Amino acid sequence: MTQEDLKNLPKIVEKFKKSNYPVALTGAGISAESGIPTFRGESGLWKNFRPEELATPEAFRVHPEIVREWYNWRREIISKAKPNPGHYALAELERYNPNFTIITQNVDGLHLRAGSKKVIELHGNIFREKCSRCNRIYNEPVYETLAYCDCGGLLRPDVVWFGEPVTSINEAINVALQCDFMFVIGTSGIVQPAASLPFYAKNNGAFIVEINLEPTPISDIAHVSLYGKSGEILPKIVNNLIKT
Ligand code: OAD
């Protein structure tokens, strides 16, 4: 975060204070400081594991045991991880303004564990299971390589795979259309439909603040872009908010 960025904090805080309906769209970057690898970028998961091949209904049909083992591996990493100061800062923002809503692409559940309550999990939650035959949801993960529903169907993680519809997208679009302030945090801004949400918000007059390590397609429409770690920048914003 540069000196120039620091000068922008009071303006961001002022806008946040005046906002009736502030929102944050988050991506894998907000959980990076919790030790969960992002999908893209230098330490991206994609490099080693090619999820484009594993995170699909087709892969699950052909190799359910490999897909489940990959998710169980990720579950183990995530269950050992803890929310970081970025997650806690967002939970604090909801205490400041109870309308504050998080739309997350993350399946790690860390916003909820940090105490945020208004959270739309666009891509599901890795710790739930869903029956691939009858769609019944199980709230506890099963770590067996193959696991079955009472109906006999194979269980899969309750996450959105490539090519599957994002069922909560309409709710998220409504939030984006109503909000007057949007943080866009730790997302490469290239995976649809989530990547369109800041554009809906901007077109409806929301103030857009991006927080990322580097420029993204969202930088073009952001009123302010802060480049650095969200776990360092967000607590500064909250401190500023509380002090002023
Ligand atoms: P990506 O891995 O595509 O992008 C992570 C972003 O976080 C990058 O722009 C990084 O620069 C930024 N970043 C990394 N560390 C950061 C930090 N400490 N502070 C701030 N920013 C940081 O992750 P997403 O955009 O979330 O979907 O990916 C979107 C979707 O792609 C995922 O939800 C997943 C994947 O396909 C599904 O699994 C359905």
Side-chain angles (χ1 to χ4, degrees), residues 23-196:
V23 165
L25 172 67
T26 66
I30 196 163
S31 296
E33 288 155 84
S34 295
I36 301 173
T38 58
F39 294 93
R40 298 170 189 82
E42 270 310 293
S43 57
L45 258 183
W46 292 148
K47 284 199 168 166
N48 300 326
F49 292 94
R50 304 187 58 76
E52 312 91 315
E53 286 171 18
L54 290 183
T56 69
E58 291 73 31
F60 188 68
R61 258 196 300 278
V62 181
H63 296 297
E65 67 294 343
I66 296 177
V67 174
R68 284 190 57 90
E69 270 172 19
W70 186 67
Y71 275 94
N72 281 339
W73 170 78
R74 288 181 58 200
R75 281 169 172 166
E76 274 168 23
I77 295 178
I78 294 170
S79 57
K80 285 184 201 130
K82 294 191 178 69
N84 67 57
H87 296 106
Y88 287 117
L90 293 187
E92 192 63 40
L93 291 183
E94 187 180 341
R95 282 189 280 277
Y96 184 88
N97 183 338
N99 287 336
F100 182 66
T101 303
I102 296 174
I103 304 170
T104 189
Q105 298 165 84
N106 300 343
V107 295
D108 56 30
L110 287 183
H111 287 303
L112 294 167
R113 279 173 58 196
S116 289
K117 294 195 170 61
K118 285 205 165 105
V119 182
I120 301 172
E121 293 182 313
L122 269 188
H123 294 164
N125 189 302
I126 198 168
F127 293 108
R128 286 193 304 260
E129 304 273 2
K130 182 168 88 172
C131 175
S132 56
R133 187 188 289 168
C134 73
N135 288 334
R136 179 171 165 190
I137 301 291
Y138 291 80
N139 284 321
E140 292 298 321
V142 183
Y143 281 91
E144 260 92 287
T145 303
L146 290 180
Y148 297 89
C149 176
D150 292 345
C151 80
L154 264 175
L155 294 184
R156 53 164 283 181
D158 184 21
V159 299
V160 176
W161 280 335
F162 287 102
E164 291 186 324
V166 176
T167 50
S168 50
I169 192 62
N170 287 341
E171 186 188 1
I173 289 174
N174 280 337
V175 168
L177 288 174
Q178 284 171 49
C179 76
D180 49 12
F181 184 111
M182 184 184 269
F183 282 117
V184 184
I185 307 165
T187 176
S188 54
I190 56 175
V191 175
Q192 296 294 352
S196 293

